[in-house]
PDB file of all heavy atoms in Angstrom:
ATOM      1  N   TYR A   1      68.267 -62.210 -22.092  1.00  0.00           N
ATOM      2  CA  TYR A   1      69.332 -61.704 -22.945  1.00  0.00           C
ATOM      3  C   TYR A   1      69.672 -62.813 -23.928  1.00  0.00           C
ATOM      4  O   TYR A   1      69.765 -63.980 -23.537  1.00  0.00           O
ATOM      5  CB  TYR A   1      70.581 -61.355 -22.131  1.00  0.00           C
ATOM      6  CG  TYR A   1      70.483 -60.041 -21.409  1.00  0.00           C
ATOM      7  CD1 TYR A   1      69.901 -59.954 -20.163  1.00  0.00           C
ATOM      8  CD2 TYR A   1      70.978 -58.878 -21.989  1.00  0.00           C
ATOM      9  CE1 TYR A   1      69.818 -58.751 -19.494  1.00  0.00           C
ATOM     10  CE2 TYR A   1      70.901 -57.665 -21.328  1.00  0.00           C
ATOM     11  CZ  TYR A   1      70.317 -57.610 -20.085  1.00  0.00           C
ATOM     12  OH  TYR A   1      70.233 -56.411 -19.432  1.00  0.00           O
ATOM     13  N   ALA A   2      69.873 -62.453 -25.181  1.00  0.00           N
ATOM     14  CA  ALA A   2      70.161 -63.453 -26.198  1.00  0.00           C
ATOM     15  C   ALA A   2      71.247 -62.977 -27.144  1.00  0.00           C
ATOM     16  O   ALA A   2      71.438 -61.778 -27.346  1.00  0.00           O
ATOM     17  CB  ALA A   2      68.895 -63.763 -27.006  1.00  0.00           C
ATOM     18  N   SER A   3      71.926 -63.938 -27.719  1.00  0.00           N
ATOM     19  CA  SER A   3      72.873 -63.657 -28.791  1.00  0.00           C
ATOM     20  C   SER A   3      72.091 -63.068 -29.961  1.00  0.00           C
ATOM     21  O   SER A   3      70.977 -63.498 -30.250  1.00  0.00           O
ATOM     22  CB  SER A   3      73.543 -64.965 -29.222  1.00  0.00           C
ATOM     23  OG  SER A   3      74.155 -64.815 -30.478  1.00  0.00           O
ATOM     24  N   PRO A   4      72.682 -62.114 -30.671  1.00  0.00           N
ATOM     25  CA  PRO A   4      71.996 -61.556 -31.833  1.00  0.00           C
ATOM     26  C   PRO A   4      72.089 -62.444 -33.077  1.00  0.00           C
ATOM     27  O   PRO A   4      71.521 -62.110 -34.113  1.00  0.00           O
ATOM     28  CB  PRO A   4      72.709 -60.216 -32.051  1.00  0.00           C
ATOM     29  CG  PRO A   4      74.059 -60.399 -31.459  1.00  0.00           C
ATOM     30  CD  PRO A   4      73.895 -61.365 -30.328  1.00  0.00           C
ATOM     31  N   ALA A   5      72.785 -63.583 -32.991  1.00  0.00           N
ATOM     32  CA  ALA A   5      72.898 -64.487 -34.135  1.00  0.00           C
ATOM     33  C   ALA A   5      71.513 -65.006 -34.533  1.00  0.00           C
ATOM     34  O   ALA A   5      70.621 -65.144 -33.692  1.00  0.00           O
ATOM     35  CB  ALA A   5      73.818 -65.650 -33.804  1.00  0.00           C
ATOM     36  N   VAL A   6      71.344 -65.309 -35.803  1.00  0.00           N
ATOM     37  CA  VAL A   6      70.032 -65.643 -36.365  1.00  0.00           C
ATOM     38  C   VAL A   6      69.330 -66.768 -35.600  1.00  0.00           C
ATOM     39  O   VAL A   6      68.168 -66.629 -35.205  1.00  0.00           O
ATOM     40  CB  VAL A   6      70.167 -65.999 -37.867  1.00  0.00           C
ATOM     41  CG1 VAL A   6      68.848 -66.499 -38.423  1.00  0.00           C
ATOM     42  CG2 VAL A   6      70.652 -64.799 -38.651  1.00  0.00           C
ATOM     43  N   ARG A   7      70.009 -67.883 -35.395  1.00  0.00           N
ATOM     44  CA  ARG A   7      69.359 -69.027 -34.754  1.00  0.00           C
ATOM     45  C   ARG A   7      69.018 -68.737 -33.293  1.00  0.00           C
ATOM     46  O   ARG A   7      67.934 -69.072 -32.815  1.00  0.00           O
ATOM     47  CB  ARG A   7      70.244 -70.257 -34.863  1.00  0.00           C
ATOM     48  CG  ARG A   7      69.541 -71.506 -34.446  1.00  0.00           C
ATOM     49  CD  ARG A   7      70.310 -72.707 -34.890  1.00  0.00           C
ATOM     50  NE  ARG A   7      69.578 -73.897 -34.538  1.00  0.00           N
ATOM     51  CZ  ARG A   7      69.848 -75.070 -34.996  1.00  0.00           C
ATOM     52  NH1 ARG A   7      70.837 -75.233 -35.844  1.00  0.00           N
ATOM     53  NH2 ARG A   7      69.154 -76.113 -34.633  1.00  0.00           N
ATOM     54  N   ALA A   8      69.923 -68.113 -32.557  1.00  0.00           N
ATOM     55  CA  ALA A   8      69.657 -67.764 -31.160  1.00  0.00           C
ATOM     56  C   ALA A   8      68.533 -66.736 -31.076  1.00  0.00           C
ATOM     57  O   ALA A   8      67.678 -66.802 -30.187  1.00  0.00           O
ATOM     58  CB  ALA A   8      70.919 -67.232 -30.485  1.00  0.00           C
ATOM     59  N   ARG A   9      68.530 -65.789 -31.990  1.00  0.00           N
ATOM     60  CA  ARG A   9      67.469 -64.782 -32.031  1.00  0.00           C
ATOM     61  C   ARG A   9      66.105 -65.445 -32.233  1.00  0.00           C
ATOM     62  O   ARG A   9      65.139 -65.117 -31.543  1.00  0.00           O
ATOM     63  CB  ARG A   9      67.742 -63.777 -33.157  1.00  0.00           C
ATOM     64  CG  ARG A   9      66.682 -62.703 -33.288  1.00  0.00           C
ATOM     65  CD  ARG A   9      66.994 -61.776 -34.452  1.00  0.00           C
ATOM     66  NE  ARG A   9      68.095 -60.892 -34.172  1.00  0.00           N
ATOM     67  CZ  ARG A   9      67.969 -59.673 -33.671  1.00  0.00           C
ATOM     68  NH1 ARG A   9      66.774 -59.196 -33.398  1.00  0.00           N
ATOM     69  NH2 ARG A   9      69.019 -58.922 -33.452  1.00  0.00           N
ATOM     70  N   ALA A  10      66.037 -66.394 -33.150  1.00  0.00           N
ATOM     71  CA  ALA A  10      64.774 -67.087 -33.415  1.00  0.00           C
ATOM     72  C   ALA A  10      64.308 -67.857 -32.177  1.00  0.00           C
ATOM     73  O   ALA A  10      63.123 -67.819 -31.820  1.00  0.00           O
ATOM     74  CB  ALA A  10      64.929 -68.026 -34.614  1.00  0.00           C
ATOM     75  N   THR A  11      65.233 -68.547 -31.521  1.00  0.00           N
ATOM     76  CA  THR A  11      64.895 -69.282 -30.295  1.00  0.00           C
ATOM     77  C   THR A  11      64.387 -68.323 -29.228  1.00  0.00           C
ATOM     78  O   THR A  11      63.350 -68.552 -28.608  1.00  0.00           O
ATOM     79  CB  THR A  11      66.131 -70.052 -29.770  1.00  0.00           C
ATOM     80  OG1 THR A  11      66.494 -71.048 -30.721  1.00  0.00           O
ATOM     81  CG2 THR A  11      65.857 -70.698 -28.417  1.00  0.00           C
ATOM     82  N   ALA A  12      65.115 -67.243 -29.009  1.00  0.00           N
ATOM     83  CA  ALA A  12      64.740 -66.263 -27.984  1.00  0.00           C
ATOM     84  C   ALA A  12      63.377 -65.639 -28.276  1.00  0.00           C
ATOM     85  O   ALA A  12      62.570 -65.454 -27.358  1.00  0.00           O
ATOM     86  CB  ALA A  12      65.807 -65.181 -27.885  1.00  0.00           C
ATOM     87  N   GLU A  13      63.117 -65.322 -29.522  1.00  0.00           N
ATOM     88  CA  GLU A  13      61.836 -64.700 -29.865  1.00  0.00           C
ATOM     89  C   GLU A  13      60.663 -65.657 -29.642  1.00  0.00           C
ATOM     90  O   GLU A  13      59.595 -65.238 -29.196  1.00  0.00           O
ATOM     91  CB  GLU A  13      61.875 -64.176 -31.295  1.00  0.00           C
ATOM     92  CG  GLU A  13      62.763 -62.935 -31.410  1.00  0.00           C
ATOM     93  CD  GLU A  13      63.018 -62.471 -32.828  1.00  0.00           C
ATOM     94  OE1 GLU A  13      62.778 -63.259 -33.787  1.00  0.00           O
ATOM     95  OE2 GLU A  13      63.485 -61.323 -32.975  1.00  0.00           O
ATOM     96  N   ARG A  14      60.859 -66.957 -29.913  1.00  0.00           N
ATOM     97  CA  ARG A  14      59.802 -67.943 -29.632  1.00  0.00           C
ATOM     98  C   ARG A  14      59.559 -68.065 -28.128  1.00  0.00           C
ATOM     99  O   ARG A  14      58.410 -68.095 -27.678  1.00  0.00           O
ATOM    100  CB  ARG A  14      60.153 -69.300 -30.231  1.00  0.00           C
ATOM    101  CG  ARG A  14      59.944 -69.359 -31.738  1.00  0.00           C
ATOM    102  CD  ARG A  14      60.008 -70.777 -32.277  1.00  0.00           C
ATOM    103  NE  ARG A  14      61.238 -71.472 -31.964  1.00  0.00           N
ATOM    104  CZ  ARG A  14      62.343 -71.431 -32.696  1.00  0.00           C
ATOM    105  NH1 ARG A  14      62.361 -70.717 -33.806  1.00  0.00           N
ATOM    106  NH2 ARG A  14      63.413 -72.105 -32.342  1.00  0.00           N
ATOM    107  N   ILE A  15      60.632 -68.122 -27.352  1.00  0.00           N
ATOM    108  CA  ILE A  15      60.488 -68.207 -25.898  1.00  0.00           C
ATOM    109  C   ILE A  15      59.829 -66.940 -25.362  1.00  0.00           C
ATOM    110  O   ILE A  15      58.934 -67.002 -24.516  1.00  0.00           O
ATOM    111  CB  ILE A  15      61.853 -68.446 -25.222  1.00  0.00           C
ATOM    112  CG1 ILE A  15      62.376 -69.841 -25.569  1.00  0.00           C
ATOM    113  CG2 ILE A  15      61.750 -68.265 -23.703  1.00  0.00           C
ATOM    114  CD1 ILE A  15      63.807 -70.094 -25.127  1.00  0.00           C
ATOM    115  N   GLN A  16      60.246 -65.802 -25.876  1.00  0.00           N
ATOM    116  CA  GLN A  16      59.694 -64.520 -25.418  1.00  0.00           C
ATOM    117  C   GLN A  16      58.183 -64.467 -25.641  1.00  0.00           C
ATOM    118  O   GLN A  16      57.433 -64.052 -24.767  1.00  0.00           O
ATOM    119  CB  GLN A  16      60.369 -63.360 -26.133  1.00  0.00           C
ATOM    120  CG  GLN A  16      59.889 -62.029 -25.611  1.00  0.00           C
ATOM    121  CD  GLN A  16      59.688 -60.998 -26.691  1.00  0.00           C
ATOM    122  OE1 GLN A  16      59.618 -61.309 -27.871  1.00  0.00           O
ATOM    123  NE2 GLN A  16      59.585 -59.766 -26.267  1.00  0.00           N
ATOM    124  N   ARG A  17      57.731 -64.902 -26.801  1.00  0.00           N
ATOM    125  CA  ARG A  17      56.289 -64.899 -27.077  1.00  0.00           C
ATOM    126  C   ARG A  17      55.557 -65.845 -26.123  1.00  0.00           C
ATOM    127  O   ARG A  17      54.456 -65.556 -25.683  1.00  0.00           O
ATOM    128  CB  ARG A  17      56.017 -65.293 -28.522  1.00  0.00           C
ATOM    129  CG  ARG A  17      56.329 -64.185 -29.512  1.00  0.00           C
ATOM    130  CD  ARG A  17      55.801 -64.492 -30.895  1.00  0.00           C
ATOM    131  NE  ARG A  17      56.380 -65.682 -31.488  1.00  0.00           N
ATOM    132  CZ  ARG A  17      57.516 -65.720 -32.181  1.00  0.00           C
ATOM    133  NH1 ARG A  17      58.203 -64.609 -32.374  1.00  0.00           N
ATOM    134  NH2 ARG A  17      57.953 -66.846 -32.692  1.00  0.00           N
ATOM    135  N   HIS A  18      56.189 -66.965 -25.796  1.00  0.00           N
ATOM    136  CA  HIS A  18      55.572 -67.961 -24.919  1.00  0.00           C
ATOM    137  C   HIS A  18      55.502 -67.478 -23.468  1.00  0.00           C
ATOM    138  O   HIS A  18      54.515 -67.704 -22.785  1.00  0.00           O
ATOM    139  CB  HIS A  18      56.368 -69.271 -25.016  1.00  0.00           C
ATOM    140  CG  HIS A  18      55.766 -70.401 -24.274  1.00  0.00           C
ATOM    141  ND1 HIS A  18      54.614 -71.028 -24.679  1.00  0.00           N
ATOM    142  CD2 HIS A  18      56.155 -71.021 -23.127  1.00  0.00           C
ATOM    143  CE1 HIS A  18      54.318 -71.993 -23.832  1.00  0.00           C
ATOM    144  NE2 HIS A  18      55.244 -72.003 -22.878  1.00  0.00           N
ATOM    145  N   LEU A  19      56.550 -66.815 -22.990  1.00  0.00           N
ATOM    146  CA  LEU A  19      56.611 -66.371 -21.598  1.00  0.00           C
ATOM    147  C   LEU A  19      56.230 -64.910 -21.384  1.00  0.00           C
ATOM    148  O   LEU A  19      56.072 -64.476 -20.252  1.00  0.00           O
ATOM    149  CB  LEU A  19      58.024 -66.578 -21.033  1.00  0.00           C
ATOM    150  CG  LEU A  19      58.504 -68.010 -20.855  1.00  0.00           C
ATOM    151  CD1 LEU A  19      59.912 -68.026 -20.286  1.00  0.00           C
ATOM    152  CD2 LEU A  19      57.560 -68.796 -19.959  1.00  0.00           C
ATOM    153  N   SER A  20      56.143 -64.137 -22.459  1.00  0.00           N
ATOM    154  CA  SER A  20      55.826 -62.707 -22.369  1.00  0.00           C
ATOM    155  C   SER A  20      56.793 -61.968 -21.443  1.00  0.00           C
ATOM    156  O   SER A  20      56.393 -61.321 -20.479  1.00  0.00           O
ATOM    157  CB  SER A  20      54.387 -62.493 -21.901  1.00  0.00           C
ATOM    158  OG  SER A  20      53.490 -63.064 -22.810  1.00  0.00           O
ATOM    159  N   ILE A  21      58.110 -62.072 -21.748  1.00  0.00           N
ATOM    160  CA  ILE A  21      59.126 -61.368 -20.968  1.00  0.00           C
ATOM    161  C   ILE A  21      59.911 -60.443 -21.886  1.00  0.00           C
ATOM    162  O   ILE A  21      59.892 -60.607 -23.104  1.00  0.00           O
ATOM    163  CB  ILE A  21      60.075 -62.335 -20.230  1.00  0.00           C
ATOM    164  CG1 ILE A  21      60.849 -63.221 -21.208  1.00  0.00           C
ATOM    165  CG2 ILE A  21      59.312 -63.182 -19.229  1.00  0.00           C
ATOM    166  CD1 ILE A  21      61.865 -64.146 -20.552  1.00  0.00           C
ATOM    167  N   ASP A  22      60.587 -59.471 -21.293  1.00  0.00           N
ATOM    168  CA  ASP A  22      61.420 -58.542 -22.052  1.00  0.00           C
ATOM    169  C   ASP A  22      62.599 -59.290 -22.658  1.00  0.00           C
ATOM    170  O   ASP A  22      63.158 -60.190 -22.034  1.00  0.00           O
ATOM    171  CB  ASP A  22      61.936 -57.415 -21.166  1.00  0.00           C
ATOM    172  CG  ASP A  22      60.840 -56.452 -20.754  1.00  0.00           C
ATOM    173  OD1 ASP A  22      59.834 -56.350 -21.483  1.00  0.00           O
ATOM    174  OD2 ASP A  22      60.990 -55.808 -19.707  1.00  0.00           O
ATOM    175  N   LEU A  23      63.000 -58.889 -23.862  1.00  0.00           N
ATOM    176  CA  LEU A  23      64.101 -59.518 -24.576  1.00  0.00           C
ATOM    177  C   LEU A  23      65.082 -58.446 -25.021  1.00  0.00           C
ATOM    178  O   LEU A  23      64.687 -57.434 -25.609  1.00  0.00           O
ATOM    179  CB  LEU A  23      63.570 -60.279 -25.801  1.00  0.00           C
ATOM    180  CG  LEU A  23      64.583 -60.819 -26.796  1.00  0.00           C
ATOM    181  CD1 LEU A  23      65.536 -61.808 -26.144  1.00  0.00           C
ATOM    182  CD2 LEU A  23      63.850 -61.475 -27.968  1.00  0.00           C
ATOM    183  N   ARG A  24      66.368 -58.689 -24.731  1.00  0.00           N
ATOM    184  CA  ARG A  24      67.445 -57.788 -25.163  1.00  0.00           C
ATOM    185  C   ARG A  24      68.539 -58.634 -25.801  1.00  0.00           C
ATOM    186  O   ARG A  24      68.811 -59.740 -25.353  1.00  0.00           O
ATOM    187  CB  ARG A  24      68.017 -57.024 -23.974  1.00  0.00           C
ATOM    188  CG  ARG A  24      66.979 -56.137 -23.305  1.00  0.00           C
ATOM    189  CD  ARG A  24      67.534 -55.412 -22.123  1.00  0.00           C
ATOM    190  NE  ARG A  24      66.434 -54.770 -21.414  1.00  0.00           N
ATOM    191  CZ  ARG A  24      66.490 -54.367 -20.175  1.00  0.00           C
ATOM    192  NH1 ARG A  24      67.604 -54.510 -19.489  1.00  0.00           N
ATOM    193  NH2 ARG A  24      65.456 -53.811 -19.600  1.00  0.00           N
ATOM    194  N   PHE A  25      69.170 -58.088 -26.822  1.00  0.00           N
ATOM    195  CA  PHE A  25      70.239 -58.802 -27.512  1.00  0.00           C
ATOM    196  C   PHE A  25      71.584 -58.299 -27.012  1.00  0.00           C
ATOM    197  O   PHE A  25      71.772 -57.101 -26.808  1.00  0.00           O
ATOM    198  CB  PHE A  25      70.089 -58.655 -29.024  1.00  0.00           C
ATOM    199  CG  PHE A  25      68.826 -59.316 -29.510  1.00  0.00           C
ATOM    200  CD1 PHE A  25      67.692 -58.568 -29.773  1.00  0.00           C
ATOM    201  CD2 PHE A  25      68.769 -60.695 -29.647  1.00  0.00           C
ATOM    202  CE1 PHE A  25      66.518 -59.185 -30.174  1.00  0.00           C
ATOM    203  CE2 PHE A  25      67.599 -61.320 -30.043  1.00  0.00           C
ATOM    204  CZ  PHE A  25      66.472 -60.564 -30.303  1.00  0.00           C
ATOM    205  N   GLU A  26      72.510 -59.230 -26.785  1.00  0.00           N
ATOM    206  CA  GLU A  26      73.781 -58.932 -26.137  1.00  0.00           C
ATOM    207  C   GLU A  26      74.931 -59.601 -26.884  1.00  0.00           C
ATOM    208  O   GLU A  26      74.944 -60.822 -27.062  1.00  0.00           O
ATOM    209  CB  GLU A  26      73.714 -59.439 -24.688  1.00  0.00           C
ATOM    210  CG  GLU A  26      74.978 -59.355 -23.913  1.00  0.00           C
ATOM    211  CD  GLU A  26      75.459 -57.937 -23.697  1.00  0.00           C
ATOM    212  OE1 GLU A  26      74.675 -57.084 -23.256  1.00  0.00           O
ATOM    213  OE2 GLU A  26      76.649 -57.683 -23.989  1.00  0.00           O
ATOM    214  N   ASP A  27      75.905 -58.796 -27.324  1.00  0.00           N
ATOM    215  CA  ASP A  27      77.049 -59.320 -28.055  1.00  0.00           C
ATOM    216  C   ASP A  27      77.902 -60.289 -27.238  1.00  0.00           C
ATOM    217  O   ASP A  27      78.563 -61.151 -27.802  1.00  0.00           O
ATOM    218  CB  ASP A  27      77.923 -58.183 -28.587  1.00  0.00           C
ATOM    219  CG  ASP A  27      77.318 -57.516 -29.813  1.00  0.00           C
ATOM    220  OD1 ASP A  27      76.526 -58.178 -30.522  1.00  0.00           O
ATOM    221  OD2 ASP A  27      77.629 -56.348 -30.069  1.00  0.00           O
ATOM    222  N   ALA A  28      77.874 -60.190 -25.911  1.00  0.00           N
ATOM    223  CA  ALA A  28      78.657 -61.108 -25.070  1.00  0.00           C
ATOM    224  C   ALA A  28      78.160 -62.546 -25.185  1.00  0.00           C
ATOM    225  O   ALA A  28      78.842 -63.474 -24.778  1.00  0.00           O
ATOM    226  CB  ALA A  28      78.612 -60.667 -23.615  1.00  0.00           C
ATOM    227  N   LEU A  29      76.977 -62.738 -25.764  1.00  0.00           N
ATOM    228  CA  LEU A  29      76.426 -64.080 -25.968  1.00  0.00           C
ATOM    229  C   LEU A  29      76.608 -64.571 -27.400  1.00  0.00           C
ATOM    230  O   LEU A  29      76.207 -65.675 -27.737  1.00  0.00           O
ATOM    231  CB  LEU A  29      74.936 -64.102 -25.592  1.00  0.00           C
ATOM    232  CG  LEU A  29      74.652 -63.841 -24.119  1.00  0.00           C
ATOM    233  CD1 LEU A  29      73.157 -63.630 -23.892  1.00  0.00           C
ATOM    234  CD2 LEU A  29      75.172 -64.973 -23.264  1.00  0.00           C
ATOM    235  N   ARG A  30      77.221 -63.758 -28.221  1.00  0.00           N
ATOM    236  CA  ARG A  30      77.442 -64.118 -29.626  1.00  0.00           C
ATOM    237  C   ARG A  30      78.383 -65.322 -29.713  1.00  0.00           C
ATOM    238  O   ARG A  30      79.262 -65.502 -28.888  1.00  0.00           O
ATOM    239  CB  ARG A  30      78.044 -62.924 -30.368  1.00  0.00           C
ATOM    240  CG  ARG A  30      78.179 -63.103 -31.856  1.00  0.00           C
ATOM    241  CD  ARG A  30      78.750 -61.854 -32.507  1.00  0.00           C
ATOM    242  NE  ARG A  30      77.823 -60.733 -32.541  1.00  0.00           N
ATOM    243  CZ  ARG A  30      76.823 -60.613 -33.405  1.00  0.00           C
ATOM    244  NH1 ARG A  30      76.601 -61.542 -34.288  1.00  0.00           N
ATOM    245  NH2 ARG A  30      76.055 -59.546 -33.380  1.00  0.00           N
ATOM    246  N   LEU A  31      78.193 -66.156 -30.721  1.00  0.00           N
ATOM    247  CA  LEU A  31      79.053 -67.314 -30.950  1.00  0.00           C
ATOM    248  C   LEU A  31      80.498 -66.861 -31.055  1.00  0.00           C
ATOM    249  O   LEU A  31      80.812 -65.913 -31.770  1.00  0.00           O
ATOM    250  CB  LEU A  31      78.638 -68.031 -32.237  1.00  0.00           C
ATOM    251  CG  LEU A  31      79.378 -69.321 -32.558  1.00  0.00           C
ATOM    252  CD1 LEU A  31      79.138 -70.368 -31.484  1.00  0.00           C
ATOM    253  CD2 LEU A  31      78.929 -69.857 -33.908  1.00  0.00           C
ATOM    254  N   GLY A  32      81.361 -67.486 -30.297  1.00  0.00           N
ATOM    255  CA  GLY A  32      82.777 -67.145 -30.321  1.00  0.00           C
ATOM    256  C   GLY A  32      83.160 -66.033 -29.363  1.00  0.00           C
ATOM    257  O   GLY A  32      84.335 -65.690 -29.254  1.00  0.00           O
ATOM    258  N   ALA A  33      82.186 -65.465 -28.637  1.00  0.00           N
ATOM    259  CA  ALA A  33      82.507 -64.389 -27.692  1.00  0.00           C
ATOM    260  C   ALA A  33      83.372 -64.913 -26.555  1.00  0.00           C
ATOM    261  O   ALA A  33      84.159 -64.175 -25.983  1.00  0.00           O
ATOM    262  CB  ALA A  33      81.227 -63.758 -27.138  1.00  0.00           C
ATOM    263  N   GLY A  34      83.234 -66.174 -26.232  1.00  0.00           N
ATOM    264  CA  GLY A  34      84.065 -66.785 -25.199  1.00  0.00           C
ATOM    265  C   GLY A  34      83.466 -66.711 -23.824  1.00  0.00           C
ATOM    266  O   GLY A  34      82.617 -65.867 -23.533  1.00  0.00           O
ATOM    267  N   ILE A  35      83.918 -67.600 -22.962  1.00  0.00           N
ATOM    268  CA  ILE A  35      83.392 -67.702 -21.610  1.00  0.00           C
ATOM    269  C   ILE A  35      83.683 -66.443 -20.794  1.00  0.00           C
ATOM    270  O   ILE A  35      82.885 -66.045 -19.944  1.00  0.00           O
ATOM    271  CB  ILE A  35      83.901 -68.985 -20.900  1.00  0.00           C
ATOM    272  CG1 ILE A  35      83.126 -69.254 -19.605  1.00  0.00           C
ATOM    273  CG2 ILE A  35      85.391 -68.918 -20.638  1.00  0.00           C
ATOM    274  CD1 ILE A  35      81.712 -69.673 -19.799  1.00  0.00           C
ATOM    275  N   GLU A  36      84.795 -65.763 -21.075  1.00  0.00           N
ATOM    276  CA  GLU A  36      85.131 -64.560 -20.304  1.00  0.00           C
ATOM    277  C   GLU A  36      84.105 -63.455 -20.517  1.00  0.00           C
ATOM    278  O   GLU A  36      83.657 -62.813 -19.565  1.00  0.00           O
ATOM    279  CB  GLU A  36      86.531 -64.049 -20.664  1.00  0.00           C
ATOM    280  CG  GLU A  36      87.652 -64.998 -20.299  1.00  0.00           C
ATOM    281  CD  GLU A  36      87.873 -66.084 -21.355  1.00  0.00           C
ATOM    282  OE1 GLU A  36      87.350 -65.970 -22.493  1.00  0.00           O
ATOM    283  OE2 GLU A  36      88.555 -67.078 -21.042  1.00  0.00           O
ATOM    284  N   ALA A  37      83.724 -63.233 -21.772  1.00  0.00           N
ATOM    285  CA  ALA A  37      82.725 -62.199 -22.070  1.00  0.00           C
ATOM    286  C   ALA A  37      81.373 -62.571 -21.475  1.00  0.00           C
ATOM    287  O   ALA A  37      80.677 -61.732 -20.885  1.00  0.00           O
ATOM    288  CB  ALA A  37      82.605 -61.996 -23.577  1.00  0.00           C
ATOM    289  N   THR A  38      81.005 -63.836 -21.602  1.00  0.00           N
ATOM    290  CA  THR A  38      79.726 -64.293 -21.058  1.00  0.00           C
ATOM    291  C   THR A  38      79.730 -64.208 -19.538  1.00  0.00           C
ATOM    292  O   THR A  38      78.752 -63.781 -18.927  1.00  0.00           O
ATOM    293  CB  THR A  38      79.430 -65.732 -21.524  1.00  0.00           C
ATOM    294  OG1 THR A  38      79.522 -65.781 -22.951  1.00  0.00           O
ATOM    295  CG2 THR A  38      78.044 -66.170 -21.113  1.00  0.00           C
ATOM    296  N   TRP A  39      80.857 -64.593 -18.917  1.00  0.00           N
ATOM    297  CA  TRP A  39      80.975 -64.512 -17.455  1.00  0.00           C
ATOM    298  C   TRP A  39      80.843 -63.066 -16.989  1.00  0.00           C
ATOM    299  O   TRP A  39      80.198 -62.780 -15.983  1.00  0.00           O
ATOM    300  CB  TRP A  39      82.302 -65.123 -16.999  1.00  0.00           C
ATOM    301  CG  TRP A  39      82.420 -65.171 -15.512  1.00  0.00           C
ATOM    302  CD1 TRP A  39      83.123 -64.322 -14.719  1.00  0.00           C
ATOM    303  CD2 TRP A  39      81.800 -66.105 -14.640  1.00  0.00           C
ATOM    304  NE1 TRP A  39      82.994 -64.680 -13.401  1.00  0.00           N
ATOM    305  CE2 TRP A  39      82.180 -65.770 -13.318  1.00  0.00           C
ATOM    306  CE3 TRP A  39      80.954 -67.199 -14.838  1.00  0.00           C
ATOM    307  CZ2 TRP A  39      81.740 -66.489 -12.213  1.00  0.00           C
ATOM    308  CZ3 TRP A  39      80.533 -67.916 -13.726  1.00  0.00           C
ATOM    309  CH2 TRP A  39      80.926 -67.551 -12.434  1.00  0.00           C
TER     310      TRP A  39
END
């Protein structure tokens, strides 16, 4: 699961290609979402 923000998306997509795993974007990981949303 990755933040949909540009930089996090780019990081996640590189890792996904390297590990060949499913990738989903989640607003709870967006910058400023806060620890409560992430928790």
Side-chain angles (χ1 to χ4, degrees):
Y1 282 86
S3 163
V6 174
R7 190 166 183 167
R9 179 182 287 267
T11 295
E13 288 172 344
R14 284 192 304 272
I15 292 171
Q16 184 220 16
R17 285 191 298 274
H18 186 71
L19 293 180
S20 299
I21 62 177
D22 290 335
L23 171 60
R24 298 179 189 161
F25 295 100
E26 174 64 50
D27 283 335
L29 295 170
R30 187 178 288 282
L31 184 62
I35 192 70
E36 295 83 14
T38 306
W39 185 259

